[in-house]
Amino acid sequence: MTLTRRMFALGTASTLLTAEAAAQVAARALIPFGSAVMISDFRSDAALRDQLARLCDVIVPMNELKWQSLRPNAESFSFKDADEIIQFARRNRKAIHGHTLLWGDFLPDWARQINSAREAERVLVTHIETVAAKYAGVVSSWDVVNEVIAHEPTADKPFRDSVWFRQLGPRLVDLAFQTAARVDPSARLVLNDYDFENPDERTAERRRQALRLVRHLQDRKIPVHEVGLQAHLYGEKPLDARGITAFCRELGRLGVGVRVTELDVIDWKMPGPAAQRDKLIGELTTAFLAAVIEGQRPQAIITWGLSDRSSWIHDVFKRQDGLRARPLPLDEAYRPKPMMAAIEAARRLP
Ligand code: XIL
């Protein structure tokens, strides 16, 4: 239908435009939503499995693809726990996001003790070859490296300390991406990191370092497809919406996607009353996702767990008043909270 001047004059055009816009939104696929899940919850909780099947497009084994889970010793691999979640995801036709091929944390003792560059390279390359090959065509995206940027990066110390960094230096990133790309050329390769959201210089520098790493890989013709924003948002801190948008937009200019990989809200310093806290958490989620989408449409919005029943926030960011944390989109009875509504609305944003 063509809109005429007369229609505008009569005010019908705006209704038509709205209807047209609505139709466009309906026709466009929603931004995929996903959640991480850990094996103990997955096994013990049928209601959780139902919710994962019902709500998610993407599933992430929360800990089961980490070295500490996969590598009991230097010689072997134990895929049992990861496979259980991955089989469930496949049966339910979910995409699987892999977390993670390289991290300085959640490592078995034997790996922490590696003490030469040669050994580090051999072990790292064999690990990525084995794991990425086993899941080629199954895991559609990988956090190739996790948290390699220093907590507070400076020009002479941009990388986070880890056994990999101590032995291999900055080329650990090249090596990991190169190996993953060689073994599974069809997977989306993600550089995953945290603290990209706050209006301070440390955060701005972290974003600059992420961009620098992306450009570095691109200069060397090493594939990097996305940057993962962990997005463990601090409920008591202001968001740097402009900084987030500019970062996502710049990545888009470089031809690199973004993915929200571990969204949850750290509510340790937020007001106690549940309704008030949930409302603020919903608003923070809306503001964060809007800032990302303004910069570019993310490949997925993934939360670090689905319900408040189970979250790392309970252990790591305890509240002083002893109240339980409410960091996730569903409450303990699997009822959707304002955070879920915020995510649902963001998925529909044009
Ligand atoms: C956490 C898990 O949620 C916990 O169950 C586990 O004990 C430790 O790791 N950033 C990451 C995730 O990249 O792997 C972490 O997950 C949370 C912070």
Side-chain angles (χ1 to χ4, degrees), residues 159 164 219 225 236 283 309:
F159 289 95
W164 309 119
D219 287 349
H225 304 111
E236 78 281 13
E283 287 165 4
R309 261 173 200 247

Side-chain angles (χ1 to χ4, degrees), residues 38 62-63 66 99-100 103 106 143 146-147 192 194 230 232 262 304 311-313 315-316:
M38 67 162 97
M62 183 180 279
N63 295 316
K66 293 173 180 172
H99 176 80
T100 167
W103 191 20
F106 225 88
D143 289 335
N146 190 39
E147 304 187 351
N192 196 46
Y194 67 100
Q230 287 189 2
H232 299 293
E262 305 184 12
W304 207 237
S311 163
W312 72 306
I313 307 284
D315 309 319
V316 179

Side-chain angles (χ1 to χ4, degrees), residues 160-235:
R160 196 177 167 94
D161 181 55
S162 70
V163 62
W164 309 119
F165 182 71
R166 279 194 297 281
Q167 298 306 332
L168 299 167
R171 79 188 179 92
L172 90 169
V173 180
D174 306 22
L175 199 58
F177 275 89
Q178 246 158 5
T179 310
R182 169 164 57 75
V183 176
D184 185 1
S186 68
R188 309 262 311 164
L189 304 183
V190 184
L191 178 108
N192 196 46
D193 224 302
Y194 67 100
D195 273 1
F196 289 132
E197 300 87 15
N198 300 313
D200 51 41
E201 182 44 34
R202 179 178 74 81
T203 305
E205 183 57 27
R206 292 180 58 77
R207 291 192 297 252
R208 285 194 289 272
Q209 288 299 341
L211 288 167
R212 200 185 55 79
L213 267 176
V214 164
R215 291 198 194 94
H216 163 92
L217 290 167
Q218 291 185 331
D219 287 349
R220 279 162 187 70
K221 309 254 180 300
I222 301 173
V224 49
H225 304 111
E226 299 171 17
V227 167
L229 317 176
Q230 287 189 2
H232 299 293
L233 307 178
Y234 285 84

Side-chain angles (χ1 to χ4, degrees), residues 4-134:
T4 62
R5 215 174 256 279
R6 192 175 144 71
M7 285 170 163
F8 278 100
L10 293 173
T12 29
S14 64
T15 356
L16 287 168
L17 280 177
T18 320
E20 221 166 83
Q24 269 172 17
V25 170
R28 189 169 190 188
L30 299 182
I31 297 170
F33 170 72
S35 171
V37 62
M38 67 162 97
I39 191 68
S40 50
D41 296 339
F42 176 83
R43 273 189 197 134
S44 64
D45 189 345
L48 172 62
R49 294 196 296 274
D50 287 349
Q51 296 293 343
L52 290 166
R54 199 169 68 83
L55 294 173
C56 293
D57 309 303
V58 186
I59 289 183
V60 187
M62 183 180 279
N63 295 316
E64 296 66 22
L65 291 169
K66 293 173 180 172
W67 283 62
Q68 209 179 93
S69 308
L70 286 182
R71 305 302 305 277
N73 55 58
E75 289 74 45
S76 59
F77 290 78
S78 87
F79 291 111
K80 188 170 170 292
D81 291 353
D83 279 347
E84 209 173 310
I85 297 175
I86 288 172
Q87 272 155 22
F88 168 86
R90 295 187 76 183
R91 269 203 311 282
N92 288 281
R93 293 190 163 55
K94 312 296 184 189
I96 300 148
H97 176 73
H99 176 80
T100 167
L101 294 171
L102 180 157
W103 191 20
D105 235 321
F106 225 88
L107 282 174
D109 285 340
W110 68 263
R112 287 184 194 281
Q113 282 153 21
I114 293 172
N115 59 11
S116 78
R118 240 184 96 184
E119 182 64 357
E121 177 163 347
R122 189 189 65 77
V123 169
L124 181 63
V125 170
T126 312
H127 179 87
I128 296 178
E129 282 175 349
T130 309
V131 178
K134 169 165 163 85

